[in-house]
Amino acid sequence: LEKEFPLDGCAVSDLCLDFTVPGKPEVELVPGGSGKPVTLANLGEYVDLVTKITLRDGVLRQFEAFEKGFDEVFPMRHLRVFSPDELELHIRGDTEAWGAEMLRSSIKPDHGFHDSSLPILWLITIMSAMDRNERRLFMRFISGSPTLPAGGLRKLNPRLTVVRKEAEAPLTADDYLPSVMTCANYLKLPDYSCLDVMRERLFKAMREGQLSFLLS
């Protein structure tokens, strides 16, 4: 049966998995788990146990400590009057419209760019036309998180910094994609030849540079 349902071209048993937490072989998922191999027959049980210990049991004490600390600052019972969507609306800062003036006050041009640099003006034009999903994609590319702090983009810390990304001959700026340093909210932007090229390259980087360091 396993040969009929391979994973990445090999049988489940060929992955040499056992009933221990991935990356922590000393933590067994079941008694004697280190000696119990994962097969197609028990794969569902293995996935359920890994999910349970990763998302619930393994972080339960941390969540309890967080809840206790939060309750000391703001009693949890007062939050019950809000729906989850209402709480998210109060906590998140990505509901503010990205107008040109707001973006100009939020972006710090540096290292080759200044406030009136054409690429900075193009970037503001592109960002101000983004819809909500595109803004979330952009923020995840820039900062690693799709949401903003309370107060919006102007409260991002460190501030969103945009610097010039130099091209190396024989390549030109149009041959490059933007890259980022997510820990510093730092966008390295090539000096593109026109707004349309910048838009196409930026959106490609936003889509394909998620959850990896390929464009860092």
Side-chain angles (χ1 to χ4, degrees):
L1 183 60
E2 286 191 18
K3 292 181 179 179
E4 297 176 5
F5 297 96
L7 294 177
D8 291 333
C10 63
V12 175
S13 56
D14 291 340
L15 300 176
C16 300
L17 298 172
D18 54 35
F19 275 70
T20 59
V21 176
K24 294 186 176 181
E26 71 280 4
V27 181
E28 295 184 327
L29 296 170
V30 295
S34 58
K36 181 179 179 179
V38 177
T39 65
L40 186 62
N42 60 26
L43 179 61
E45 179 189 6
Y46 171 77
V47 171
D48 288 342
L49 289 170
V50 170
T51 302
K52 179 182 175 183
I53 197 170
T54 302
L55 299 181
R56 194 186 72 181
D57 296 354
V59 294
L60 182 61
R61 292 178 62 187
Q62 293 90 328
F63 270 106
E64 288 176 342
F66 172 81
E67 183 178 7
K68 181 181 178 181
F70 190 96
D71 192 62
E72 291 177 358
V73 177
F74 189 93
M76 298 286 286
R77 66 181 183 275
H78 295 325
L79 297 179
R80 294 172 185 162
V81 300
F82 298 104
S83 70
D85 289 340
E86 289 171 333
L87 280 175
E88 187 178 18
L89 182 63
H90 284 290
I91 295 172
R92 274 196 353 225
D94 58 355
T95 56
E96 180 182 17
W98 281 11
E101 288 301 321
M102 187 279 288
L103 291 171
R104 270 192 284 270
S105 65
S106 303
I107 294 173
K108 176 186 176 183
D110 208 349
H111 297 299
F113 289 145
H114 48 79
D115 289 336
S116 58
S117 295
L118 200 53
I120 296 296
L121 300 179
W122 288 343
L123 178 63
I124 290 173
T125 299
I126 293 169
M127 291 176 63
S128 63
M130 290 179 177
D131 61 28
R132 181 173 180 272
N133 290 331
E134 290 167 344
R135 292 199 300 266
R136 290 173 63 86
L137 199 63
F138 176 82
M139 289 312 307
R140 188 165 191 172
F141 175 59
I142 295 295
S143 68
S145 171
T147 60
L148 285 164
L153 190 61
R154 280 175 286 202
K155 296 297 184 180
L156 192 65
N157 187 24
R159 189 178 176 189
L160 174 57
T161 301
V162 183
V163 301
R164 180 173 177 170
K165 183 175 184 177
E166 298 292 343
E168 297 183 8
L171 300 177
T172 68
D174 289 356
D175 295 316
Y176 288 84
L177 293 175
S179 54
V180 296
M181 293 172 57
T182 55
C183 57
N185 302 325
Y186 202 85
L187 173 62
K188 293 174 276 189
L189 188 68
D191 190 3
Y192 291 116
S193 59
C194 67
L195 185 148
D196 289 339
V197 171
M198 179 183 290
R199 180 187 293 109
E200 188 274 331
R201 298 291 190 271
L202 178 61
F203 273 77
K204 184 173 184 178
M206 287 161 49
R207 290 190 302 269
E208 300 186 12
Q210 300 288 329
L211 305 178
S212 72
F213 289 94
L214 299 175
L215 293 174
S216 64

